[in-house]
Structures are given as structure tokens and as C-alpha cells.
Amino acid sequence: MTQENCRYQTVNAAISPTGSLELLSQQEVERLSRVGHGEIHELFRRCALAVLNCDDSSDSAEEVFARYPDFDVEIVQRTRGVKLKLKNAPACAFVDGKIMSGVREHLFAVLRDIVFVASELYRQDETSVEEGFEAIRLVHRGPLSPAAINNLVFLLLRNAGLLKPRMLPNLVVCWGGHSISRDEYDYTKSVGYELGLRHLDICTGCGPGAMKGPMKGAAIGHAKQRIQGGRYIGISEPGIIAAESPNPIVNHLVVLPDIEKRLEAFVRVAHGIIVFPGGVGTLEEILFLIGTLMDPANKDQQLPLIFTEAACSNGYFKRIDEFLVATLGEQVRRHYRIIEDDPVEVAHVMREGMQQVGKGRRVSRDAYYYNWLLHIPEEMKHPFEVNHDSMASLRLTRSLPPQELAINLRRAFSGIVAGNVKDHGVRLVREKGPFVLRGDVSIMAAMDGLLRDFVAHGRMKLARERYNPCYTIEPEPAQSEPV
């Protein structure tokens, strides 16, 4: 049944699962049903709406939720499994009344991951039961150790079917902005095409823009090479999925519980990483990886990292390079290579890098499919709770070692991402005003210059003409700097 809802067409439907949720034990069905009726139901509802809203051009989670206030999803328990009952779902997910196969896969992938995480991270407090499942309270088991976080990320990826043993390194993680120009988007497709011709698979943040382009290009390259089973992996997290709804090309979707575990998943499965122009989210990803690679424990790690842009990007990565050197020092340049407007060269360099990764993994006896030996600093692994106090208290000073400064810079940009597009961050900024960032004069000047450039070139949000900064910058002279 189709009806009008806030000017947007909606559909009511009942959907059966595909993939890993097709065959379930009665105990698993029971667990799905219980979690679906507890506190975590709202989280699943919002992520499900994001997946169903697959053709939207907005990157505001708040706008998406406001458009479909009456959307709901119910997990129906059956003897042979589960079914999802959708109420007032976005009609764009349906063709002639039937849900698109890719969207259905994504919907049940979200259910799979959220329920799995709930079972691993929380316990149910049965003493709070008052009126059936609605009153069951989920209580966090406590903070995880770095080793436990690594294991949880592995289990989530394995549970989603992403890890493929006995496959030589061929997975390229592509990062970049969702708010990019058409010419920049076409360039990401060209790079993806060259990668696909060379039998390389693609993993991205699963949204639009630079996350969609490489997958489209690689799909054409794979088709020309008659490659069956090409992988187009999307890795997301609940806070960002509504702003970056999974694009329909993604054939393996996994939702990690927070941004830190999402970033860890990227670098654990990657055999090489390509970065296209983007905004603060892209810089957050770069700083996570650079801060990790700068750690002395990773001096023997092989992980090719390429920054590449189209000619129309007008030196984007020159400015990124200047920012990284200005804040972290000249030594940062040994971790990446910049290639301008040359998709073939990017693919050649990445393919050669894959061969080095394979040799390195054989020598170290690490797995091809998951980089267990990569050391991720503990501060990078634990969730950074974004609020006004945590942002203002970040130490952005040259008194810190470069790898520690990279950790705090990553957190600063993570907070700006939250203030731009995540529902929690947007509400905080609206209620209490912009986040305040303080630090050494030279560091804050470099950050301010880069952020102004992002704003000027429309790289903050899709609604370029009405961006209001969610942050302010207040330099504080360091002891080593003149007042």
C-alpha cells in the first residue's frame, strides 16, 4: 500500500531475509525477537530507515528522520525464522511494489550486525522486566581491552562473510568525500575501472560520491574481465549510516558499533588504501591511518597508501600534504604517495604494492584476509565521546609526540563530523553552540586554513550554500612560540 507521508511516498511491506539470516535456530530467532523489542529497537529502526532511503541526496540524519516520522519496523518471530514488517517505508526502495534485492540484503545485514553487537557488548537486565520485552534494559558489560576490540572487529567481519581465506591480497579500500563535484566523481570511477581491470576488489564507506564511484568503475572493469563474484564492500556505523546511506552497488555490508571500530575494520582488511578528495571525514580517516603507521611498532608494516585527485581538484592533496607536514613534521611524507590525474598510474602502483603486501604477510606469517599484526594505538581504538567538554579539552600542542598529536587531531575532526551530520552532534551544537577547539597557534592556524578551504569548496556538506560551522578555533600560544 502506498500513501503520502510528509510529501514522500511510503510503502507498507513484509520482508523475508536473505543471506546469513535465512537459516536460524530457534534460540537465534528468540534472541532476534527480544533485542528487536528492547532499547536497541530505536537504533535498528533508524539504521533500517537509512538503508531504505537509498535514493536520497541529503546527508542530514535529522532531515531523513523528520521526513519519515511514522516509519517503523517490527521483527516478527516465525517457526522457520524471522520476517520484518515495514510501516511507512520510503517507496524509493521498491520497484513495482517489491523491495530491491540489494536493499533487502542491506536491511538484514543491519539487523545481523546490530543484534550481534548487542549480544557481545551488552547483557539483558531481567530484573527490569515489567511489561514483557519492552521493559528489558540493556546494560553495557564494560570497556573492552584493545585485544578484545580487535577480536570483536574480526568476529563482526567474519560473521558478515567478508573474510575470505586462501585469497591473495586484492582488496583496495577507497576513502573520499560524499560531497564532491561531478568531475571528481567521474575521476573516482576511472580509478575504480582501472583497478577492476586488474582484478582488484573495492571497499569503501558505502555511501555516495567517492564511496560509490570506485565501485561503479570496478564493476565495469570486472565485467570486461568476466570476473564473477567481484566484491564491493561497504563498512559503516550507526552514527553515520543515515548521512551516508549504503549505495545499491554494495554487495557486502557490515555495520560496526562506532567510528573507531569502523576505522579499525578498514585498515585490518585493506591490502592498500586510496584516498580521494573529501572533507573532515576523509581527514579523520587519513589521521587515523597516519597516526597508526607512525607508531614505531608498525615500522615493518606494508600498506600502500595513495592520495590521488583529478585535475579539477586544483591541488587538494598539496594542501593536505602541507597541513600534515605543518602539524606532524616532514617524516609523515614517507607514509604516502601523491598521484595527480592518472588512474592508470594509480592502478599500477597499487597492484605493485599488493605484491609487496603478499610477500610481507608470508614472511610475517600474518593472514592475507585480516592484518592481525598491525598495531593500532589504544587511544585510537576506544570511542571518543563527542561533546563540548571533550572537544575543548583536546590537547593540540607540539609538546606531544607526532603520533599522539595525530590521535588528538583525529578526534578533533571526528567531532566536527559529528557536528556536521550525526544526529547526536547536530543536536548538541544546536542546543549549546559550536564546539570550541584550542591549541598551539601554528597548529590551529593550519587547521583553520584547511577547514576554511573545505567550506569554500563545498566539502563540508551536500547542502553547500547553507553550511554553518559547528566549531570555532581559539589559538593559544605555546611556550615555544612567540606571543
Side-chain angles (χ1 to χ4, degrees):
M1 180 179 68
T2 302
Q3 63 186 23
E4 277 290 330
N5 182 15
C6 297
R7 296 190 300 106
Y8 293 89
Q9 295 290 320
T10 61
V11 172
N12 295 338
I15 309 298
S16 297
T18 59
S20 59
L21 295 184
E22 284 187 278
L23 297 175
L24 296 172
S25 70
Q26 287 296 297
Q27 184 180 33
E28 289 171 323
V29 172
E30 172 84 6
R31 187 174 67 179
L32 281 168
S33 181
R34 291 172 70 86
V35 172
H37 287 80
E39 286 183 2
I40 210 162
H41 172 263
E42 178 62 16
L43 175 63
F44 175 54
R45 187 185 77 87
R46 290 184 168 224
C47 290
L49 176 57
V51 167
L52 291 162
N53 194 41
C54 55
D55 285 344
D56 191 32
S57 60
S58 172
D59 61 355
S60 169
E62 189 176 43
E63 288 182 15
V64 173
F65 302 144
R67 288 175 185 173
Y68 302 98
D70 298 326
F71 168 76
D72 202 3
V73 54
E74 178 185 356
I75 302 174
V76 180
Q77 183 174 352
R78 301 182 301 171
T79 303
R80 62 183 184 276
V82 295
K83 179 178 284 191
L84 295 180
K85 289 182 67 175
L86 306 178
K87 177 183 177 182
N88 298 322
C92 59
F94 296 79
V95 177
D96 295 335
K98 294 184 178 180
I99 194 168
M100 285 188 280
S101 297
V103 175
R104 181 169 67 164
E105 289 179 3
H106 295 169
L107 193 60
F108 281 95
V110 168
L111 176 62
R112 175 201 65 214
D113 295 336
I114 287 179
V115 171
F116 182 87
V117 169
S119 67
E120 291 292 318
L121 298 186
Y122 296 88
R123 62 179 173 82
Q124 291 184 341
D125 184 0
E126 299 291 348
T127 63
S128 66
V129 176
E130 296 172 357
E131 297 179 5
F133 297 140
E134 289 292 346
I136 291 178
R137 186 165 59 95
L138 296 179
V139 181
H140 203 286
R141 297 180 188 274
L144 297 176
S145 68
I149 292 173
N150 190 359
N151 194 56
L152 174 62
V153 172
F154 172 82
L155 290 175
L156 275 164
L157 297 176
R158 186 185 67 178
N159 195 46
L162 263 61
L163 305 180
K164 301 293 184 184
R166 295 180 295 279
M167 282 184 63
L168 291 174
N170 80 327
L171 186 61
V172 182
V173 167
C174 294
W175 287 336
H178 63 294
S179 178
I180 59 176
S181 70
R182 181 70 204 192
D183 288 341
E184 288 179 326
Y185 174 73
D186 288 341
Y187 180 74
T188 70
K189 284 200 300 183
S190 296
V191 172
Y193 172 70
E194 296 296 337
L195 296 173
L197 288 177
R198 289 161 179 79
H199 296 246
L200 300 180
D201 291 334
I202 305 294
C203 173
T204 77
C206 82
M211 292 168 276
K212 182 179 180 180
M215 290 184 174
K216 289 192 76 171
I220 297 171
H222 289 163
K224 288 189 175 181
Q225 293 284 29
R226 299 298 186 266
I227 295 172
Q228 301 294 321
R231 293 189 297 162
Y232 315 107
I233 297 170
I235 300 179
S236 191
E237 56 104 354
I240 203 73
I241 195 170
E244 296 176 355
S245 297
N247 72 72
I249 300 172
V250 173
N251 60 10
H252 292 278
L253 174 66
V254 60
V255 180
L256 279 295
D258 52 58
I259 186 62
E260 286 78 11
K261 294 175 185 62
R262 180 196 194 197
L263 291 171
E264 178 160 350
F266 277 128
V267 300
R268 295 280 185 199
V269 301
H271 301 123
I273 296 179
I274 295 173
V275 186
F276 299 101
V280 285
T282 301
L283 197 54
E284 177 185 6
E285 293 164 341
I286 290 173
L287 287 165
F288 181 92
L289 180 56
I290 291 295
T292 296
L293 294 178
M294 292 181 75
D295 192 291
N298 293 319
K299 61 183 178 64
D300 296 325
Q301 281 289 322
Q302 299 278 349
L303 187 62
L305 172 59
I306 298 173
F307 298 162
T308 188
E309 64 185 70
C312 63
S313 297
N314 298 316
Y316 171 89
F317 279 113
K318 178 182 178 182
R319 294 187 290 276
I320 294 294
D321 175 69
E322 290 170 350
F323 170 79
L324 293 175
V325 171
T327 55
L328 303 178
E330 288 280 347
Q331 71 271 24
V332 74
R333 284 182 168 145
R334 70 185 181 89
H335 297 293
Y336 56 83
R337 176 173 174 179
I338 298 175
I339 300 176
E340 295 183 1
D341 201 35
D342 195 339
V344 174
E345 178 66 8
V346 171
H348 275 309
V349 172
M350 185 53 63
R351 189 62 195 160
E352 291 172 0
M354 293 282 178
Q355 295 171 357
Q356 295 303 313
V357 169
K359 292 179 182 178
R361 299 283 178 95
R362 288 191 290 274
V363 170
S364 65
R365 304 193 67 80
D366 199 5
Y368 286 150
Y369 54 85
Y370 192 82
N371 191 342
W372 288 103
L373 296 182
L374 182 71
H375 173 73
I376 298 177
E378 185 171 351
E379 297 83 355
M380 290 285 200
K381 298 171 76 73
H382 293 298
F384 174 60
E385 183 178 350
V386 176
N387 56 51
H388 286 77
D389 290 338
S390 65
M391 291 287 279
S393 63
L394 286 174
R395 292 184 63 206
L396 303 174
T397 171
R398 295 192 185 282
S399 64
L400 295 173
Q403 63 268 24
E404 292 185 25
L405 177 57
I407 291 169
N408 285 344
L409 286 170
R410 200 282 301 176
R411 289 173 170 173
F413 285 102
S414 183
I416 297 174
V417 172
N420 279 348
V421 299
K422 295 186 180 181
D423 188 50
H424 170 70
V426 171
R427 284 189 283 106
L428 278 179
V429 172
R430 182 186 300 115
E431 294 169 3
K432 299 183 179 181
F435 299 125
V436 177
L437 293 168
R438 300 185 179 96
D440 291 357
V441 171
S442 60
I443 292 175
M444 304 315 288
M447 180 180 289
D448 186 45
L450 189 62
L451 289 170
R452 287 178 183 274
D453 186 78
F454 285 172
V455 173
H457 290 87
R459 297 192 184 277
M460 286 295 201
K461 287 177 66 67
L462 289 173
R464 303 182 179 199
E465 71 283 354
R466 53 186 176 93
Y467 177 69
N468 294 313
C470 65
Y471 61 89
T472 60
I473 288 178
E474 297 182 3
E476 295 179 337
Q479 293 182 354
S480 60
E481 296 179 330
V483 177

